[in-house]
Amino acid sequence: MYGAQLIEALHRRDPQLEFFGVGGDRMRAAGCETVVDTKDLSVVGITEILSHLPKIYGLFQHLIKEADKRKPDLAIVIDSPAFNWRVARQMKKRGIPVVYYVAPQFWAWRQGRVRLIRDYIDKALVIFPFEEKFYRDRGVDATFVGHPLADLPQPAINRNDYAAQFHLNLAKHWITLMPGSRVKEVRMNLPTILEAAAQLGDAYEFLLPVAPTLDRSFLQNLIGEQSVTLVPESLPALWHSRAGIIASGTATVEAAIMRTPFVMVYRVSPLTYMLGKPRVKVPRFAMVNLIAGEQVVPELVQHDFTAANVVARLREILPDSAARSRMLEALTQVKARLLRPETAAPGPTPHPADRAAAIILSIGKP
């Protein structure tokens, strides 16, 4: 999605530009010739990655050979640091300028890996406001361009039509449940979320958006007979919900953009938590809180993530209250920070992809 947005923004400035590389359906539709399909690189899990390494390495080699054949003026790598820093290194060796769009979150942990960006990237375009200073302090030429999701419009479907489509009770408040997008994290998070929903009772409707990475039957088996409605998209569910129970990750940004008050939750295995916690370099877990620089939404992590705690925090923000008003105001400010750099000139705010495109074209060869 980010790649497609960026290609469209670059084409608006120069329709003659040509693109090739790694991509999927959206990038192809935007005009990118995909010499490697992203679905062939989408592998999660240590054993799965090990078994796919020969194939992944072959695709990597194919991409580099295509670059040698086509001699691009500029290389743009997007997210996926394990693959893309190696691409960047090969481009740098060939004298091709490299831009990193949606830079890795090395500020959260493994900060020493910033040297990979510093050594092989000419420009980093970051999507969270605090990332610019983090990278610049470590010798990386970084610019905050805004988050590509930040100016998403409110969903077109109204609450009445949405209720009719999914057989929801209009008289009740709705609560969106988002336990994560990977099977393992859903197994860790969803049971406690469902327990909290059960404690809240049938005064509420509970909506659970099905992430594209999850199978609907897998979720339905975990839910069992409990009254939870599975829906296909997260943004309409969040927009029409009174509140949410949201696992740490991009979903918290989506909730902030939709101005849906929520409680952030997360749990990992005890061993992972024990090994990982000392390595985490940030004071908060929720992206919303990191952007705000203070606790805007409650964070219930590991031992604090209990059904009773979730219900207690929700009961503070479900009714019209000072706590709800404060959270809504803070979410509005977070959304504004995600979209507009503090140094931006007065006037209309360009889309982050348009801001990125202007910078990219100033770096590429004429």
Side-chain angles (χ1 to χ4, degrees):
M1 181 185 70
Y2 297 159
Q5 286 181 349
L6 185 58
I7 290 168
E8 290 163 357
L10 286 163
H11 266 154
R12 284 194 290 271
R13 292 172 174 269
D14 185 350
Q16 303 304 313
L17 290 173
E18 296 179 0
F19 302 87
F20 74 94
V22 181
D25 292 339
R26 290 186 179 181
M27 285 178 63
R28 277 190 288 273
C32 179
E33 181 184 347
T34 52
V35 300
V36 174
D37 196 296
T38 48
K39 70 176 184 293
D40 294 324
L41 298 175
S42 298
V43 183
V44 177
I46 294 173
T47 56
E48 291 83 356
I49 289 173
L50 288 174
S51 64
H52 283 76
L53 271 180
K55 178 183 177 181
I56 294 171
Y57 184 70
L59 293 171
F60 170 76
Q61 291 290 89
H62 178 59
L63 178 65
I64 302 307
K65 287 177 182 176
E66 285 295 317
D68 287 339
K69 185 192 305 181
R70 301 173 189 234
K71 303 188 184 305
D73 296 307
L74 185 74
I76 303 169
V77 293
I78 304 174
D79 206 355
S80 304
F83 186 84
N84 275 331
W85 80 259
R86 292 171 170 85
V87 174
R89 179 173 62 181
Q90 293 300 320
M91 297 300 100
K92 192 75 170 177
K93 285 181 179 179
R94 290 158 173 77
I96 298 168
V98 183
V99 174
Y100 213 129
Y101 185 42
V102 189
Q105 295 178 1
F106 289 151
W107 40 266
W109 71 316
R110 306 177 84 176
Q111 293 187 358
R113 290 207 162 196
V114 171
R115 62 179 174 77
L116 300 176
I117 307 294
R118 188 171 57 241
D119 291 347
Y120 302 123
I121 302 297
D122 295 278
K123 183 72 177 182
L125 302 176
V126 300
I127 64 172
F128 294 112
F130 57 83
E131 291 180 316
E132 182 176 281
K133 183 178 187 305
F134 171 82
Y135 275 113
R136 285 190 173 184
D137 286 350
R138 288 156 180 80
V140 177
D141 181 5
T143 299
F144 169 61
V145 294
H147 198 291
L149 296 178
D151 72 339
L152 285 173
Q154 71 182 59
I157 188 168
N158 63 43
R159 194 170 188 267
N160 286 1
D161 291 343
Y162 194 80
Q165 182 177 348
F166 296 107
H167 310 290
L168 301 168
N169 188 335
L170 279 168
K172 296 180 180 181
H173 285 316
W174 304 347
I175 298 174
T176 293
L177 315 177
M178 298 185 71
S181 59
R182 299 178 180 88
V183 168
K184 187 172 182 179
E185 64 182 356
V186 172
R187 288 191 188 280
M188 298 295 290
N189 295 324
L190 186 54
T192 305
I193 291 175
L194 292 174
E195 187 183 343
Q199 289 185 20
L200 287 164
D202 59 8
Y204 301 93
E205 292 274 16
F206 298 99
L207 286 60
L208 199 164
V210 181
T213 50
L214 298 173
D215 186 75
R216 188 183 181 94
S217 61
F218 161 71
L219 291 170
Q220 196 61 68
N221 286 337
L222 288 175
I223 293 167
E225 298 300 314
Q226 195 163 341
S227 181
V228 175
T229 302
L230 298 181
V231 296
E233 297 178 83
S234 58
L235 296 182
L238 287 166
W239 177 251
H240 292 300
S241 286
R242 182 71 175 177
I245 307 172
I246 314 289
S248 179
T250 303
T252 64
V253 177
E254 292 181 345
I257 290 165
M258 292 294 107
R259 291 186 74 247
T260 305
F262 67 96
V263 176
M264 189 224 85
V265 300
Y266 209 72
R267 179 180 290 118
V268 294
S269 71
L271 180 60
T272 297
Y273 187 76
M274 182 183 70
L275 294 175
K277 191 174 188 299
R279 293 169 172 79
V280 174
K281 305 298 183 183
V282 289
R284 300 176 179 89
F285 289 94
M287 187 60 70
V288 168
N289 293 340
L290 288 168
I291 294 164
E294 61 181 351
Q295 181 157 312
V296 170
V297 301
E299 298 184 355
L300 301 178
V301 178
Q302 211 64 7
H303 305 300
D304 291 332
F305 176 23
T306 66
N309 283 345
V310 172
V311 170
R313 299 288 81 76
L314 275 177
R315 292 200 190 282
E316 294 172 359
I317 58 174
L318 281 167
D320 290 324
S321 62
R324 181 178 178 85
S325 297
R326 283 195 301 271
M327 189 179 293
L328 285 169
E329 176 59 29
L331 293 177
T332 300
Q333 294 176 9
V334 166
K335 179 177 178 178
R337 290 184 186 181
L338 281 171
L339 185 60
R340 187 180 183 89
E342 292 181 359
T343 56
T349 302
H351 187 279
D354 288 306
R355 197 177 291 123
I359 295 170
I360 287 167
L361 289 180
S362 72
I363 296 169
K365 298 176 183 177

